[in-house]
């Protein structure tokens, strides 16, 4: 089915890593992949923002810890 928000249909989704825009998608299905092995060890914030076709934005963020070998915990 189609993803929907209270403000209408989702028009685009953005992925930010450490609050820096990494990818934007404007068609479903929305899918992102991130290689934690390429990240510096330590804490990182992954945030996804969805925008409706009416301009409503919703954001969800999580913080992960990347180990010395590039494994996310």
């Amino acid at each position: 089915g189609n993803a929907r928000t209270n403000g209408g249909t989702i028009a685009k989704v953005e992925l930010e890593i450490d609050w820096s825009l990494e990818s934007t998608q404007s068609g479903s299905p929305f899918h992102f992949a991130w290689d934690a092995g390429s990240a510096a060890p330590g804490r990182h914030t992954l945030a996804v923002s969805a925008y409706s076709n009416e301009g409503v934005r919703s954001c969800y963020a999580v913080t992960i810890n990347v180990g010395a070998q590039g494994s996310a915990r």
Side-chain angles (χ1 to χ4, degrees), residues 6-29:
N6 289 340
T9 303
I10 295 175
K12 77 174 178 179
V13 176
E14 296 176 339
L15 170 67
E16 295 179 52
I17 299 175
D18 295 327
W19 304 110
S20 176
L21 183 62
E22 290 292 318
S23 183
T24 300
Q25 294 185 8
S26 58
S28 68

Side-chain angles (χ1 to χ4, degrees), residues 60-73:
Y60 182 77
V62 296
T63 300
I64 63 166
N65 187 37
V66 173
Q69 299 300 317
S71 60
R73 293 182 227 169

